[in-house]
Amino acid sequence: MAYTLITPATEELITVAEAKKHMRVLHNNEDDMIGIYLMAAIGRFQEQTSRVISKSTWQLTLDKFPVNGIIEIMRCTVISVQSVRYIDSLGAEQEINVQDVKLDAASEPARLSPAFGKSWPTTANIINAVTIEFEAGYTDAAALNKLDKAAIFLMTAHWYRNREEVVVGKTANEVPKTADDIMSLRKIPNGF
């Protein structure tokens, strides 16, 4: 099972201006640097939680369809499924009509199964025989969870203010990782 980003977000839902407001930065001198830290924070958040912030297109590859019929999509929030393709037992690529699958986007992780009365076809016995393309992320900033934004702002501020791994005083102390605590609360559970 592997996830690949196909089309990155065209619109970022968390802005440098919002991050600066959180950090109480009033000048524009380091907007580019803050933007880099913000992008890194969003990336780390997404990697740690399996949540996608801004709408983007992803690909999930599997070696075969699951025996229990349910495919968990570990990139939330799933908006829609664009395609489900597979290599059949003769080695030819086939595509399943998206009307023949059911997406449960309300669950975390999202779940994909054959529609009522349908079943997954038999695939060739090869790696990456199944390819699912889907859109995930929030479609507008108002829908973003406040905890998600808090974790991202905390990481951005931390990296902006502490440009090294440790703060050195009389003794070296690691900066508190409040963002990690929030991300552990927001992590998508693996399996059911």
Side-chain angles (χ1 to χ4, degrees), residues 97-110:
N97 188 322
V98 291
Q99 273 67 38
D100 291 337
V101 297
K102 176 159 178 50
L103 173 65
D104 173 13
S107 293
E108 291 185 343

Side-chain angles (χ1 to χ4, degrees), residues 123-184:
T123 63
N125 189 19
I126 60 172
I127 60 173
N128 299 325
V130 178
T131 304
I132 300 164
E133 193 169 299
F134 62 97
E135 281 188 324
Y138 294 98
T139 54
D140 64 75
L144 279 172
N145 185 293
K146 289 179 177 27
L147 284 176
D148 298 354
K149 288 179 88 169
I152 290 166
F153 289 152
L154 286 166
M155 285 185 285
T156 304
H158 167 72
W159 292 331
Y160 176 72
R161 292 193 178 110
N162 303 286
R163 298 181 188 199
E164 301 296 331
E165 286 292 313
V166 293
V167 176
V168 179
K170 291 182 180 177
T171 60
N173 295 308
E174 190 172 336
V175 177
K177 296 191 179 192
T178 308
D180 287 340
D181 294 338
I182 295 171
M183 287 188 292
S184 69

Side-chain angles (χ1 to χ4, degrees), residues 9-191:
T10 55
E11 177 185 359
E12 290 300 333
L13 299 182
I14 301 175
T15 66
V16 169
E18 289 177 295
K20 285 172 60 177
K21 183 177 179 182
H22 167 81
M23 297 184 298
R24 298 183 180 123
V25 173
L26 303 176
H27 60 79
N28 299 328
N29 300 344
E30 297 186 303
D31 283 7
D32 289 343
M33 185 60 66
I34 293 169
I36 291 167
Y37 293 139
L38 178 60
M39 283 184 358
I42 290 169
R44 180 166 182 219
F45 176 85
Q46 292 180 151
E47 183 65 31
Q48 294 292 316
T49 65
S50 296
R51 294 182 184 278
V52 178
I53 296 298
S54 298
K55 181 178 158 184
S56 49
T57 305
W58 292 79
Q59 178 178 285
L60 166 61
T61 54
L62 306 165
D63 293 341
K64 61 185 176 182
F65 290 108
V67 175
N68 72 355
I70 298 172
I71 298 169
E72 291 182 325
I73 302 176
M74 297 294 294
R75 293 293 181 269
C76 292
T77 299
V78 175
I79 300 167
S80 64
V81 172
Q82 265 60 52
S83 66
V84 179
R85 297 183 314 276
Y86 67 99
I87 307 298
D88 68 17
S89 57
L90 300 175
E93 183 175 79
Q94 304 291 335
E95 186 164 350
I96 298 173
N97 188 322
V98 291
Q99 273 67 38
D100 291 337
V101 297
K102 176 159 178 50
L103 173 65
D104 173 13
S107 293
E108 291 185 343
R111 300 179 301 167
L112 185 68
S113 68
F116 181 75
K118 304 284 182 180
S119 61
W120 293 126
T122 302
T123 63
N125 189 19
I126 60 172
I127 60 173
N128 299 325
V130 178
T131 304
I132 300 164
E133 193 169 299
F134 62 97
E135 281 188 324
Y138 294 98
T139 54
D140 64 75
L144 279 172
N145 185 293
K146 289 179 177 27
L147 284 176
D148 298 354
K149 288 179 88 169
I152 290 166
F153 289 152
L154 286 166
M155 285 185 285
T156 304
H158 167 72
W159 292 331
Y160 176 72
R161 292 193 178 110
N162 303 286
R163 298 181 188 199
E164 301 296 331
E165 286 292 313
V166 293
V167 176
V168 179
K170 291 182 180 177
T171 60
N173 295 308
E174 190 172 336
V175 177
K177 296 191 179 192
T178 308
D180 287 340
D181 294 338
I182 295 171
M183 287 188 292
S184 69
L185 291 172
R186 296 289 295 148
K187 183 174 176 57
I188 299 297
N190 189 8

